Amino acid sequence: MTGHDRQWDLNRLNFEGRWCGTSRWYERDADGLLDLSSPVAVIEDTCYAISFSDPDTGLWDGSGLRFVPDGRRRLPLARATYNSGGQCWQFRGAAGQSSLVLDSRQPRFGHEVNLFRGRSRSMLVLLYAPATDLSWRLQSLGVVPFRCSLAAEPDPARPAASDWRALLAEQEGWPGELERLEPQRWPAADPEPQPCDPFRSRQFSGNGISVDPSACITAGFADGLICSLPEVLPQGAFALQVGCRLDADHFQQVSFHYDSQQRLTAWELRRFRRP
């Protein structure tokens, strides 16, 4: 099995299902203000139906989409052409797609993050856009607590993260394991988990050492989703942090690392568990 094949197989394992939920979008207004406590758009019937007719072929059928005419789109899926640009990334139980470099020729810089447990899928989308001073500023953020409608029984609700400070404080010191992926270097087998430092709330909400903590936005949302992001992307290296409390005893954190040339160097997945 090649690394490409393993990424395709994880794509099928993670995403196959009929995922439905209410999407909430938080966007910067005409005055330049971004309020992450009150969505500007709520779409009750967002649904991503992802099916595979055979091991090599599938279909992505989305409705209730925010930035697509009529809110609908259908895309064919195929092993041969999957992830030709290298933006998609797959761990077992965590997956998404990412801009690989901050490119002034592009209209946006963004990420989609999905964190799975059972038949639950918590999705966060974050989009940066160029500002008038040539910097890049967080423009939109979307949250969807998906559940698979094909599941025999619904999964229990995930803990809310509206009080993110209390949630992060509760996790202080939890032990964890680390998995790492690098763009275009797809392993043929899942990365072997490695021990990592215990969870530290200041490290998450302060966005590490790459960005001044005072310049970061940290916010919690439905379905246990939390993020800590620079509101304006710095000129040099930076990191983005997205996490999810999957249940009372498990927290997953995805870190996106960009180097001094503002190119993505790694996706890191940390799985923390209550001792």
Side-chain angles (χ1 to χ4, degrees):
M1 176 182 291
T2 67
H4 170 85
D5 287 334
R6 183 54 184 157
Q7 286 288 295
W8 168 258
D9 289 346
L10 285 171
N11 177 52
R12 291 184 58 204
L13 178 67
N14 285 328
F15 285 102
E16 186 169 17
R18 187 173 186 274
W19 305 98
C20 300
T22 298
S23 57
R24 293 174 172 83
W25 286 91
Y26 307 82
E27 297 173 6
R28 201 172 292 276
D29 63 21
D31 296 323
L33 300 177
L34 179 63
D35 182 1
L36 295 182
S37 64
S38 180
V40 300
V42 177
I43 305 173
E44 300 283 353
D45 54 352
T46 297
C47 187
Y48 294 0
I50 304 168
S51 59
F52 295 88
S53 56
D54 59 62
D56 301 315
T57 309
L59 177 68
W60 186 96
D61 187 354
S63 59
L65 309 180
R66 174 65 171 154
F67 299 111
V68 178
D70 301 323
R72 293 294 306 269
R73 175 175 287 176
R74 290 164 59 92
L75 299 171
L77 304 172
R79 181 191 297 267
T81 57
Y82 172 71
N83 201 18
S84 58
Q87 296 99 338
C88 298
W89 50 275
Q90 305 280 343
F91 297 94
R92 184 183 290 267
Q97 53 186 316
S98 302
S99 294
L100 298 179
V101 63
L102 194 61
D103 187 348
S104 61
R105 296 169 297 181
Q106 299 298 321
R108 63 179 63 172
F109 168 88
H111 295 267
E112 177 193 307
V113 186
N114 298 275
L115 293 157
F116 300 84
R117 188 169 182 83
R119 293 277 75 195
S120 297
R121 168 189 173 189
S122 299
M123 186 179 83
L124 186 143
V125 177
L126 58 98
L127 300 171
Y128 287 80
T132 55
D133 59 357
L134 302 182
S135 63
W136 288 75
R137 189 169 59 173
L138 184 61
Q139 182 68 27
S140 303
L141 191 148
V143 173
V144 191
F146 281 122
R147 298 296 182 269
C148 181
S149 64
L150 304 180
E153 296 182 3
D155 286 346
R158 293 185 175 178
S162 52
D163 187 354
W164 60 266
R165 291 178 179 83
L167 189 147
L168 294 182
E170 182 188 353
Q171 299 169 180
E172 192 72 22
W174 284 14
E177 292 184 325
L178 168 68
E179 298 175 39
R180 179 183 173 93
L181 289 175
E182 297 179 4
Q184 302 295 351
R185 298 181 64 180
W186 312 118
D190 296 351
E192 189 69 26
Q194 300 296 320
C196 65
D197 292 337
F199 181 82
R200 296 290 180 245
S201 58
R202 289 185 61 186
Q203 184 75 7
F204 182 93
S205 60
N207 206 23
I209 60 173
S210 300
V211 178
D212 178 0
S214 66
C216 288
I217 295 176
T218 303
F221 303 95
D223 229 27
L225 282 163
I226 310 175
C227 63
S228 185
L229 315 165
E231 182 171 8
V232 177
L233 295 178
Q235 295 297 313
F238 62 92
L240 311 173
Q241 310 288 353
V242 177
C244 185
R245 177 70 77 83
L246 302 176
D247 56 30
D249 298 324
H250 296 85
F251 181 78
Q252 288 191 4
Q253 176 180 340
V254 181
S255 304
F256 306 85
H257 294 282
Y258 285 79
D259 63 15
S260 59
Q261 302 301 309
Q262 300 183 312
R263 294 183 177 277
L264 182 67
T265 60
W267 298 275
E268 291 183 344
L269 172 65
R270 288 172 173 82
R271 304 178 193 267
F272 296 100
R273 183 171 183 172
R274 187 189 299 272

